[in-house]
Amino acid sequence: GDSVTQMEGPVTLSEEAFLTINCTYTATGYPSLFWYVQYPGEGLQLLLKATKADDKGSNKGFEATYRKETTSFHLEKGSVQVSDSAVYFCALSDVGGTSYGKLTFGQGTILTVHP
Amino acid sequence: NAGVTQTPKFQVLKTGQSMTLQCAQDMNHEYMSWYRQDPGMGLRLIHYSVGAGITDQGEVPNGYNVSRSTTEDFPLRLLSAAPSQTSVYFCASSYDGSSGNTIYFGEGSWLTVV
């Protein structure tokens, strides 16, 4: 079945540092890929997505490129802020054209940014 | 601009009790689903629905029941709570079934079973 693997956390950075959170996936077809963010005490919010190979999703300074050849969707940000402290989830949608609202999630990566 | 609304936000249950987590969306979405979030395991799908009157099991359905009598509502029932059901529960919805469709989540319900 489908699966998503994220880099082990937690990740601790100083403000303005460069961020990379690795994400790789296994799927039989051509899934859509997502990054969701969960701030403390809140629900999940969509951060960015990409629906086909070589697409780049971007939002709030975060970027991720859908790499079919390496089955990866790594999240990057050039300069993190304290307000970026959150849990980040990589996810993919079900393959086959219809997702029926189903996502397969990675285990989540906790990011803490210090001033 | 409510989106996906879940109630209650916090609940403590005794083992063996039953309860219902409520979920409502006001976006006229056809697809709704329930996930549970456990430390180190991401979110796992419990049940989902592709429209009113239609539901199906996800990855971890045991101990949970759902129904979808209206487009707006998708309640999750715990039939006889067990400590293993201590978790954070998220309801989600999406407009249609296309693979790239954005899925919207509620704010979560924190459940503790003692």
Side-chain angles (χ1 to χ4, degrees), chain A residues 6 30-34 36 38 40-46 49-51 87 89 92-108, chain B residues 9 31-33 35 37-45 48-50 57-58 88 90 92 94 96-108 110:
Chain A
Q6 288 181 235
Y30 302 97
S32 293
L33 301 173
F34 304 82
Y36 279 84
Q38 183 180 28
E42 299 184 10
L44 278 76
Q45 304 173 23
L46 178 67
K49 70 178 183 181
T51 57
V87 183
F89 291 94
L92 65 81
S93 68
D94 200 14
V95 300
T98 53
S99 68
Y100 297 110
K102 296 188 291 184
L103 287 169
T104 299
F105 284 87
Q107 70 269 37
Chain B
K9 186 150 187 174
Y31 298 90
M32 297 185 74
S33 50
Y35 293 82
Q37 181 185 22
D38 300 295
M41 301 186 74
L43 279 76
R44 293 179 292 169
L45 182 66
Y48 66 98
S49 169
V50 302
Q57 296 181 351
V88 184
F90 289 97
S94 57
D96 62 24
S98 60
S99 176
N101 196 47
T102 297
I103 296 169
Y104 298 87
F105 286 84
E107 294 190 342
W110 275 253

Side-chain angles (χ1 to χ4, degrees), chain B residues 6-27:
Chain B
Q6 292 181 231
T7 56
K9 186 150 187 174
F10 300 98
Q11 183 72 48
V12 179
L13 284 179
K14 294 183 178 178
T15 298
Q17 286 185 319
S18 62
M19 77 157 297
T20 299
L21 298 177
Q22 301 291 343
C23 176
Q25 52 89 11
D26 61 358
M27 297 175 282

Side-chain angles (χ1 to χ4, degrees), chain A residues 61-109:
Chain A
F62 291 89
E63 294 183 340
T65 301
Y66 188 160
R67 301 289 189 198
K68 179 174 175 291
E69 64 276 11
T70 55
T71 61
S72 64
F73 193 54
H74 305 321
L75 183 68
E76 297 182 336
K77 187 175 185 183
S79 177
V80 294
Q81 305 300 312
V82 173
S83 57
D84 293 326
S85 297
V87 183
Y88 292 81
F89 291 94
C90 185
L92 65 81
S93 68
D94 200 14
V95 300
T98 53
S99 68
Y100 297 110
K102 296 188 291 184
L103 287 169
T104 299
F105 284 87
Q107 70 269 37
T109 301

